[in-house]
Amino acid sequence: MSDPRRRRQIKTPSGPKKKAAGPDLSKYKLKSATGRQEVPKPQPKPDPSQQRSGGRRGDQQRRQGGGQRGGHHGGRQGGRGQGRRDQPRPEPEALKTETYARILEHDDGTGIATAMAEKSLAFCRLKLKGSEAMALNQRIYIGKDASKRTDVAAIIGMAHLDKMSNMARQDLPNLVQLFIEEHAQYFVDEFYNKAGPMSLKQHSYELLPDVGPVKARNMVKARDQVGVFASMDELNALAKVKGAELLAQRFVEELEDKTLMPRLTELLLPVTA
């Protein structure tokens, strides 16, 4: 039997249970039902031919507008270019001390000639006065005295060997050789009679093309037999060489290669005889 003193703990409902609160829907914006909506009908595609024609019209309008703008700019540029052409060009500094030049190439159609200055063998472009063709090696005055410039209308500028025609490059060795032959005695006295050893193993004669140690020694022996060469003809006969041609080939090599050292063109030019 249970102890009467133990109280029975019986849970009795205190009242009706409250339903649990549902979610607060006030913060959500709900759309009211609108029923079925109409589906938009597909639109027909535009005709490509109309697009092309419209594009052409737009391109034509843009071209016309650009042409008008370009015309204005072209007019201004043309005016500036015309002003520059009217101004005389200053003559190159490299030719300020030159007095004569030799014709290398002449275009009688345009009157433009390429010439070689005598003192430095520098190349220049000239505008000639007459229409008569000038021959290779023809000597013309390019000095400061305008009254003596009977053949030259203007000195256009310097000429570069790598931009010359093939004919001019082929004629260059002949032009230089003709120049040396006209001053043969000067080059015999200043080079062939004064040339000496550059080192224990090399003589100055070896600077000439196709002249090695053996030929250089033979040239020295030929010079020692007569003391000095009296002329270019005597040099050619005793040393069995072509003195003017060899020296011309060396000059051309130095004109083509600015790094070639030593430079006989700088040591022997200008001609002072």
Side-chain angles (χ1 to χ4, degrees), residues 70-91:
H72 293 304
H73 292 302
R76 289 196 294 270
Q77 292 176 358
R80 290 196 295 268
Q82 184 66 31
R84 293 193 189 99
R85 286 194 295 268
D86 293 341
Q87 296 177 359
R89 294 182 180 180
E91 294 185 356

Side-chain angles (χ1 to χ4, degrees), residues 190-221:
E190 295 298 321
F191 177 68
Y192 286 107
N193 285 336
K194 292 183 179 180
M198 299 173 57
S199 64
L200 295 176
K201 296 183 179 180
Q202 188 178 17
H203 194 275
S204 298
Y205 286 155
E206 295 181 52
L207 296 175
L208 302 174
D210 300 328
V211 176
V214 176
K215 184 176 288 188
R217 285 195 296 269
N218 293 335
M219 293 174 65
V220 173
K221 290 179 181 179

Side-chain angles (χ1 to χ4, degrees), residues 207-209 246-254 260-262 264:
L207 296 175
L208 302 174
L246 289 176
L247 196 56
Q249 291 177 1
R250 173 67 187 193
F251 282 3
V252 172
E253 289 179 355
E254 294 180 9
L260 191 60
M261 295 293 175
L264 295 183

